[in-house]
Each structure stands twice: as C-alpha cells, then as structure tokens.
Amino acid sequence: LVFSALVPLIAIVRIIDADPLTKRFEVNVYNNLPKDNSKLVTHCQSGNDDFGNRTLYVNQYQQWAFHQDLFKRTLYFCHLWWNGKQQTFDVFSKHLSGDCQTGIGGNICSWIARADGIYFSPNEVTHVGPVGVPQKRYDWQ
C-alpha cells in the first residue's frame, strides 16, 4: 500500500522537472569595456543562487543556465561595478523572459557592459563579443 501511494508522487515530480513544462534559459554578463580600464566586478544572484563577486576582464563573460520555475517566478539580478560607477538590475525575470526568446539560439539573455552603459541582447555571447546588435538598457550611476 505504501509503495503504490509513492508511484503517483514520483510521476508528479518527474513531470514538474521535465523540459516541456519549464523552459531552459541562459544568462551571460559580458565585459565589453575599454581595454585601458577594463576590470568589471559582478555580483549576480537569485533567491536560491548567489554567485558571489567575480572579476571579468575585457572580452570575458560570466554565464549560467537554469530552468524557469513552473510558475514563472524565477528572478536573477546583478550588481556591476566599473571605474567608480555601478548599476544594479534584473538580468532575468518573467517580464524579461519574452525578450530573451527572440534571438539567435533562443532563450538567451545577454548583458553587455560598455563605457556608456549596460546593453541587452537576446543572442549568444562568444569570446569575440556579442552576436547581433545589442540595445542600451541602463546608464552607469
């Protein structure tokens, strides 16, 4: 009797964790700052994951992937510092998920730090830079 009660529970857990129900997303934070003053410090996290402080030099990027939760509550945000300036912003949320699905490769949110601000691209980032033409979203503060 106990075994038969567990079988439906195991099936429900597998359905919730299945790819068709939860989309996989990738986030990239890319340093595209001038080479003479290139150190970008990032601190990215969600309610469940904290990646700590990372230092990225020119053309380096931080990347992670995850499955959006079933109720679309997944939220990641980053705090960036460069040359005495900073910016904090959401890098993934249910509101951004639609933007992230429009680019090459799909389900990608790329954030590019440049001297004049932070740019967004729904395309992948490679070691030579972002693919496509990013759009400016934030100024440095």
Side-chain angles (χ1 to χ4, degrees):
L1 180 66
V2 174
F3 178 73
S4 63
L6 288 177
V7 172
L9 180 60
I10 292 169
I12 290 170
V13 170
R14 285 189 178 173
I15 288 171
I16 289 173
D17 193 39
D19 286 348
L21 293 178
T22 60
K23 291 184 180 177
R24 182 183 183 276
F25 285 89
E26 176 183 299
V27 172
N28 301 290
V29 179
Y30 179 76
N31 180 345
N32 196 211
L33 293 165
K35 291 183 182 185
D36 59 335
N37 197 354
S38 65
K39 186 170 82 170
L40 175 71
V41 177
T42 70
H43 189 130
C44 299
Q45 65 186 85
S46 72
N48 298 322
D49 300 304
D50 186 339
F51 302 120
N53 286 356
R54 302 263 178 105
T55 301
L56 304 176
Y57 294 93
V58 172
N59 297 330
Q60 289 184 332
Y61 60 95
Q62 179 178 357
Q63 178 182 75
W64 68 94
F66 57 93
H67 284 267
Q68 184 178 31
D69 82 6
L70 191 60
F71 302 105
K72 299 185 178 183
R73 296 172 300 191
T74 305
L75 171 68
Y76 281 92
F77 60 94
C78 291
H79 193 153
L80 307 183
W81 296 270
W82 169 69
N83 199 26
K85 301 173 186 177
Q86 63 178 336
Q87 184 56 265
T88 302
F89 57 98
D90 293 346
V91 295
F92 182 85
S93 69
K94 70 178 180 181
H95 304 295
L96 288 167
S97 65
D99 292 344
C100 300
Q101 296 177 57
T102 62
I104 300 168
N107 298 348
I108 297 173
C109 294
S110 292
W111 296 93
I112 299 98
R114 293 183 174 168
D116 66 331
I118 310 299
Y119 288 73
F120 171 80
S121 173
N123 299 314
E124 66 183 338
V125 172
T126 68
H127 68 283
V128 294
V131 175
V133 180
Q135 299 173 348
K136 187 174 182 183
R137 294 274 177 107
Y138 302 102
D139 289 315
W140 290 104
Q141 296 180 349

